[in-house]
Amino acid sequence: MQYDKILADAKSERDWIVDVRRRIHRRPEIGFDLVETNRLVTNVLGELQVEHRSGIAETGVVATIGSGDGPCVALRADMDALPMQEEADVDFRSEIDGRMHACGHDCHTAMLLGAAKLLKGREADLPGTVKLIFQPAEEGGAGGDRMCQEGALESPKVDRIFGLHVWPYLPTGSVAGRSGPLLAAAGELEITVHGRGGHAAMPHACIDPVVTSAKIILELQTIVSREIDPLESGVVSITQTHGGSASNVIPPSVQLRGTVRSLTMDGFRFLQKRVTEIATAVAEVNGCTAEVTFPGHDYPPVVNDEGLWEFARGVAGEIVGSEAVEEMPPVMGGEDFAFYTQQVPGCFAVVGVGNPEKGTGHGLHHPKFVVDEDGLPYGTALHVAFALGSLETAD
Ligand code: NI
């Protein structure tokens, strides 16, 4: 396998990849409603004469390059943006108020389209099929789950899958990942504490849900600190409290919202169970009631297949040099790539787009998030190399 040639080819497409990325960046869309992004992706695939099916999970696209038969390796990109206002100082800033590609999914889509271009040029030599999965609704909508349910991993059946995330915390030209759990099982929690409202001057005539919710918030902190093994990881964070409308009124109820995270599904279910028990019991001893729900989609943890991370680390070393490939500790962020790894062996890795000289000091989901676009050809090259290396070594 000529890995140097792959990086050189990807770098020669740098301007093409960056142009695609900026076109997506200007027109961010949210959730499953990715009409313009879908059109751009299908147009580019059409221009490249890459076979594709659109309309999977509403606006998802699955493209295939190669023999149309097995072995089959899948490469996945997410396409959705976030509901936040962009403040980055770039001339291709979001043209839509209140929406921004602040998690780099525009980069992921462009890197994968770059890979489509390079792989199409090698199609005649592919000993199998490369499937390119462009999915909507990574940010909370479990779009990956829908893609799986609607057959993205079938016909041909996917044997293994790779995903990449741009990572502003690592320098351009570097790659990181690990074997086993990489990203957390994650989900939302919502607690409504019901008391009895009334005049703030007569607390004895009321049942105060504000004080009770404060006790619940504090009591929840002991789940992670006192109930789980210190060597395991967990997060229980209350991030929103809503209640009351006046300084002299005790409100009838208070709403708390937050997040629960663990590196294992068992750990995650344990945290949910204890949140429910503690909130309910603390409410009760204070004369209140608590309704506890876990709205939205619970994401399983992203667990990298051990053999595939070994493979990916080796291949990445050929592309960027082995000194630029790092083992990274797990991160408690969630990623719906997890839904694919529940079905087939998978490996998720991060690719550096950090370069302080280009103002990349802001993290993911920051309104001033900026990437070093010179990192994008590395992502394209990694996708191509993961695909080619996988087909070459398949039985
Ligand atoms: Ni993301």
Side-chain angles (χ1 to χ4, degrees):
M1 180 65 54
Q2 297 221 314
Y3 286 111
D4 316 350
K5 179 93 172 68
I6 296 173
L7 183 60
D9 287 355
K11 283 187 171 172
S12 72
E13 297 293 347
R14 184 227 178 247
D15 291 351
W16 185 91
I17 298 164
V18 166
D19 176 65
V20 169
R21 184 258 163 163
R22 291 184 179 186
R23 279 156 59 200
I24 300 169
H25 191 89
R26 283 194 185 95
R27 309 292 304 168
E29 295 175 293
I30 308 288
F32 287 97
D33 195 14
L34 310 184
V35 178
E36 282 188 52
T37 312
N38 169 284
R39 196 179 306 133
L40 185 148
V41 168
T42 53
N43 283 345
V44 171
L45 291 170
E47 283 160 22
L48 296 173
Q49 298 187 317
V50 170
E51 247 179 77
H52 58 275
R53 275 191 303 144
S54 182
I56 301 160
E58 299 181 36
T59 46
V61 181
V62 174
T64 50
I65 301 175
S67 68
D69 214 341
C72 178
V73 53
L75 307 170
R76 171 273 205 173
D78 41 13
M79 305 188 287
D80 57 318
L82 287 158
M84 55 189 283
Q85 187 69 30
E86 177 156 16
E87 291 174 19
D89 184 20
V90 291
D91 58 11
F92 49 92
R93 189 182 303 177
S94 169
E95 292 168 359
I96 305 176
D97 271 352
R99 295 187 197 169
M100 177 189 179
H101 268 290
C103 197
H105 300 186
D106 51 342
C107 301
H108 304 164
T109 303
M111 294 187 313
L112 193 55
L113 287 169
K117 194 172 190 190
L118 297 196
L119 288 164
K120 187 67 188 176
R122 292 162 159 86
E123 188 168 35
D125 304 326
L126 290 180
T129 303
V130 184
K131 195 177 262 190
L132 310 169
I133 297 177
F134 298 89
Q135 73 152 82
E138 192 286 317
E139 299 287 354
D145 194 21
R146 280 276 297 277
M147 293 295 287
C148 292
Q149 284 171 25
E150 297 188 20
L153 299 177
E154 301 304 323
S155 53
K157 196 167 169 25
V158 169
D159 299 306
R160 51 168 69 175
I161 185 164
F162 295 92
L164 288 174
H165 206 293
V166 292
W167 215 239
Y169 319 104
L170 281 178
T172 293
S174 56
V175 180
R178 77 192 303 271
S179 151
L182 176 71
L183 294 154
E188 287 175 42
L189 74 87
E190 193 170 297
I191 302 169
T192 306
V193 183
H194 298 281
R196 188 166 67 232
H199 201 299
M202 299 171 196
H204 58 288
C206 306
I207 298 174
D208 189 349
V210 175
V211 173
T212 302
S213 63
K215 292 184 187 181
I216 290 172
I217 293 170
L218 288 179
E219 202 64 35
L220 293 179
Q221 304 313 309
T222 60
I223 303 174
V224 172
S225 68
R226 302 289 82 187
E227 296 192 37
I228 68 171
D229 185 329
L231 298 177
E232 283 179 26
S233 304
V235 173
V236 176
S237 291
I238 298 297
T239 54
Q240 290 180 291
T241 67
H242 294 287
S245 54
S247 59
N248 57 356
V249 176
I250 290 174
S253 66
V254 169
Q255 200 178 57
L256 308 176
R257 302 191 72 205
T259 181
V260 174
R261 287 152 193 264
S262 168
L263 290 175
T264 66
M265 218 49 214
D266 284 351
F268 180 70
R269 295 293 176 217
F270 174 78
L271 295 179
Q272 286 186 324
K273 174 173 158 281
R274 291 299 291 146
V275 165
T276 305
E277 289 170 353
I278 289 172
T280 307
V282 172
E284 196 184 330
V285 295
N286 286 278
C288 293
T289 57
E291 271 172 74
V292 183
T293 59
F294 301 96
H297 298 276
D298 293 341
Y299 283 14
V302 172
V303 181
N304 280 346
D305 180 84
E306 187 179 339
L308 283 192
W309 166 242
E310 287 306 314
F311 162 83
R313 192 175 61 182
V315 168
E318 297 287 343
I319 297 289
V320 299
S322 55
E323 69 292 344
V325 184
E326 281 180 30
E327 295 283 328
M328 68 188 277
V331 178
M332 297 306 277
E335 229 305 333
D336 88 348
F337 187 75
F339 290 107
Y340 304 98
T341 62
Q342 290 206 313
Q343 308 287 326
V344 295
C347 182
F348 197 71
V350 302
V351 57
V353 289
N355 182 346
E357 285 172 16
K358 295 186 185 172
T360 63
H362 303 288
L364 297 168
H365 294 212
H366 191 284
K368 292 187 175 171
F369 173 65
V370 169
V371 306
D372 175 8
E373 292 173 318
D374 288 338
L376 305 189
Y378 288 93
T380 290
L382 289 165
H383 273 310
V384 172
F386 291 159
L388 296 182
S390 293
L391 294 183
E392 198 169 70
T393 55
D395 309 316

